[in-house]
């Protein structure tokens, strides 16, 4: 190669540096494309190494918000069920160590027809926890959940047949949205599609329950069958049993140790021996509620007017006035409505108190003036009486319950009268 021209720089070093710069640009672009990046506002992930944590006082942390739980036929683990129910209730679920034990859940029948009611009752053992609350919770269509307080439940089956679950819990309030779970258990309910004559009221044997006093009940075997019933064996659920030759019996439950407004449920089982064929069995529940001790001033002044019919076929209305004395304040929570049938069966529904009571005027300390209504469909001919229980808590956290009857039928409806046919013309 000839030597360079005098006065001009050599071109070989210039090409070398240009190529080196281009290589650097390509390497920087490659690193930028594949370098891990964090989104704006996102903290970098911690290294995946085991870390020691101090033990927490609770067994498990509060449940994260989970997607809503479908009402049926979804294989979900019990832990995820609890988280999903808590999310539907907008609660933070915390499992607590406790000696409370749910010994079992009794059903008044092994399965239920779609749209009909099934009775459930929980048996709780162990050492009672102060301030513990018994409640039932189950998913409903639309991703929500329903709640019912107390140890017993009249659960209304959905219209769609399938396998459904209902959960019983013993809980305590931890403040805010946090709910401590002391014990819980699920029961799976078989909901079937029934045809004409296959409902629970068409069964050959049912057990009627009528409360006659605070702890006294009358039980009756409602038997409809071709074979003659020759003996009746009664198990009252409190450790006592008897046998009779008559289909009716009375029983009184012990009230010792029953706290004011405390509810206890007893599972009553009946076995009927027939002249021929195998025995028939039926199950029902008897609930007793503690009464305030005599001489104690009621926490509120309650005045309820007798129900009066609404115009047209609008049902009945009862005016309700609740006055809370000075020195206390009550926060109302729910209204429980119990519908008693003539055969002794009972249906229960629970709603928020402001949804069930039409408040016209708020008074001091949680008092109010308003009214409740009973629709014509709620007071069907087979309904004997309707009872309302309004529950809340005072400033000290003690439960306050007041009750009244917004409807009562004095006598069962008789058979429809038949107009005699006119005599034939001669």
């Amino acid at each position: 190669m000839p030597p360079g021209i005098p006065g001009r720089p050599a071109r070989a070093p210039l090409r070398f540096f240009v190529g080196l710069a281009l290589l650097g640009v390509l390497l920087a672009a490659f690193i930028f494309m594949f370098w891990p990046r964090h989104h704006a506002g996102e903290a970098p992930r911690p290294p995946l190494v085991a870390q020691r944590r101090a033990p927490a006082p609770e067994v498990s942390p509060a449940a994260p918000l989970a997607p809503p739980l479908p009402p049926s036929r979804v294989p979900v683990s019990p832990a995820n069920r609890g988280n999903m129910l808590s999310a539907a209730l907008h609660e933070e679920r915390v499992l607590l160590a406790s000696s409370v034990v749910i010994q079992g859940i009794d059903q008044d029948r092994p399965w239920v027809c779609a749209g009909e009611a099934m009775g459930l009752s929980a048996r709780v053992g162990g050492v009672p926890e102060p301030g513990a609350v018994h409640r039932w919770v189950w998913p409903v269509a639309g991703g929500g959940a329903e709640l019912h307080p107390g140890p017993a439940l009249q659960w209304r089956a959905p219209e769609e047949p399938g396998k459904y679950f209902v959960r019983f819990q013993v809980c305590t309030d931890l403040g805010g949205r946090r709910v401590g779970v002391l014990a819980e258990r699920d029961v799976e309910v078989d909901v079937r599609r029934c045809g004409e004559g296959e409902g629970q009221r068409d069964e050959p044997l049912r057990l009627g329950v009528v409360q006659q006093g605070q702890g006294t009940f009358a039980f009756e075997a409602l038997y409809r069958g071709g074979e003659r019933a020759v003996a009746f064996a009664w198990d009252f659920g409190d450790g006592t049993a008897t046998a009779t030759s008559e289909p009716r019996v009375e029983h009184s439950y012990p009230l010792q140790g029953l706290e004011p407004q405390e509810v206890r449920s007893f599972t009553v089982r009946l076995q009927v021996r027939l002249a021929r064929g195998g025995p028939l069995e039926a199950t029902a529940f008897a609930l007793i509620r503690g009464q305030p001790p005599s001489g104690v001033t009621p926490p509120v002044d309650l005045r309820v007017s007798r129900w009066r019919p609404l115009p047209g076929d609008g049902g009945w209305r009862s005016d309700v006035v609740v006055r809370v004395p000075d020195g206390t304040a009550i926060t109302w929570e729910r209204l429980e409505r119990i519908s008693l049938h003539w055969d002794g069966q009972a249906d229960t529904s629970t709603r928020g108190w402001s949804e069930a009571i039409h408040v016209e005027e708020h008074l001091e300390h949680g008092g109010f003036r308003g009214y409740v209504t009973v629709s014509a469909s709620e007071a069907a001919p087979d309904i004997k009486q309707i009872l309302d229980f309004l529950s809340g808590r005072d400033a000290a956290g003690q439960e306050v319950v007041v009750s009244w009857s917004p409807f009562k039928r004095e006598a069962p409806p008789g058979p429809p009268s038949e107009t005699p046919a006119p005599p034939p013309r001669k």
Side-chain angles (χ1 to χ4, degrees):
M1 181 173 182
I5 301 175
R8 294 183 180 180
R11 293 184 178 181
L14 177 61
R15 293 175 180 175
F16 174 79
F17 285 112
V18 170
L20 186 62
L22 291 175
L23 180 62
V25 171
L26 291 175
L27 181 61
F30 180 85
I31 295 175
F32 178 79
M33 290 176 59
F34 293 97
W35 187 266
R37 300 184 300 275
H38 298 290
H39 297 288
E42 179 182 345
R45 296 180 180 179
L48 298 178
V49 295
Q51 299 181 3
R52 292 184 176 272
R53 298 179 182 271
E58 292 101 0
V59 175
S60 69
L65 293 180
L69 180 64
S72 68
R73 296 197 295 266
V74 178
V76 182
S77 66
N80 287 338
R81 283 178 176 176
N83 293 341
M84 291 176 178
L85 288 175
S86 297
L89 296 172
H90 305 287
E91 295 178 344
E92 293 182 4
R93 177 170 176 263
V94 181
L95 296 179
L96 303 177
S98 172
S99 61
V100 175
V101 178
I102 301 175
Q103 299 171 338
I105 297 179
D106 298 325
Q107 302 174 216
D108 62 357
R109 53 185 45 83
W111 55 272
V112 63
C113 294
E116 292 190 345
M118 165 179 279
L120 303 169
S121 180
R123 290 178 279 112
V124 181
V127 180
E129 295 278 356
V133 175
H134 297 172
R135 71 178 192 176
W136 301 83
V137 58
W138 63 96
V140 295
E146 288 193 9
L147 277 173
H148 178 81
L153 167 68
Q154 280 287 325
W155 182 73
R156 179 69 60 178
E159 297 293 339
E160 180 69 20
K163 301 288 186 179
Y164 294 80
F165 82 93
V166 182
R167 170 166 291 191
F168 176 75
Q169 295 178 321
V170 183
C171 304
T172 184
D173 186 7
L174 300 180
R177 295 172 50 228
R178 303 176 76 235
V179 174
V181 178
L182 304 173
E184 60 185 1
R185 177 178 290 192
D186 292 349
V187 56
E188 186 179 77
V189 182
D190 183 11
V191 179
R192 303 180 182 179
R193 190 183 303 279
C194 300
E196 185 68 24
E198 297 178 349
Q200 55 182 287
R201 297 192 177 276
D202 300 306
E203 296 176 357
L205 178 65
R206 292 185 294 117
L207 179 54
V209 182
V210 177
Q211 187 168 4
Q212 297 180 326
Q214 183 182 358
T216 303
F217 292 81
F219 302 105
E220 182 177 6
L222 305 173
Y223 170 66
R224 44 187 295 180
E227 291 296 331
R228 183 172 58 92
V230 297
F232 303 85
W234 311 83
D235 183 347
F236 300 112
D238 61 349
T240 61
T242 188
T244 65
S245 58
E246 297 294 329
R248 298 177 183 84
V249 70
E250 292 186 3
H251 182 71
S252 296
Y253 290 94
L255 303 176
Q256 294 83 359
L258 191 63
E259 298 293 334
Q261 308 303 338
E262 179 186 355
V263 178
R264 291 183 185 174
S265 176
F266 298 91
T267 302
V268 184
R269 293 182 171 88
L270 167 65
Q271 185 179 82
V272 176
R273 186 162 59 89
L274 305 177
R276 290 187 301 177
L280 298 176
E281 297 182 351
T283 303
F285 306 113
L287 273 68
I288 60 175
R289 186 188 295 268
Q291 300 295 325
S294 59
V296 176
T297 304
V300 300
D301 177 27
L302 171 66
R303 297 184 182 183
V304 181
S305 68
R306 182 177 176 83
W307 57 91
R308 64 180 185 271
L310 294 172
D313 196 15
W316 293 265
R317 164 176 169 159
S318 298
D319 295 326
V320 180
V321 179
V322 173
R323 300 184 184 275
V324 181
D326 296 335
T328 185
I330 296 180
T331 301
W332 302 109
E333 299 174 349
R334 63 187 182 274
L335 186 134
E336 180 181 5
R337 173 160 289 184
I338 300 178
S339 302
L340 303 176
H341 297 259
W342 286 102
D343 60 6
Q345 301 296 320
D347 297 330
T348 303
S349 63
T350 303
R351 291 184 294 168
W353 84 278
S354 59
E355 300 175 8
I357 299 178
H358 305 269
V359 177
E360 298 176 315
E361 180 184 2
H362 290 277
L363 305 178
E364 295 179 342
H365 314 303
F368 62 87
R369 185 191 308 275
Y371 63 93
V372 294
T373 59
V374 175
S375 64
S377 60
E378 289 179 296
D382 63 333
I383 296 297
K384 175 183 178 181
Q385 187 178 11
I386 295 178
L387 302 173
D388 285 345
F389 292 88
L390 176 62
S391 302
R393 296 189 180 276
D394 60 15
Q398 297 295 321
E399 187 176 22
V400 178
V401 180
V402 293
S403 62
W404 60 82
S405 176
F407 177 82
K408 184 177 181 181
R409 189 171 275 117
E410 300 299 333
S417 59
E418 296 183 359
T419 304
R425 295 183 179 180
K426 295 183 179 179

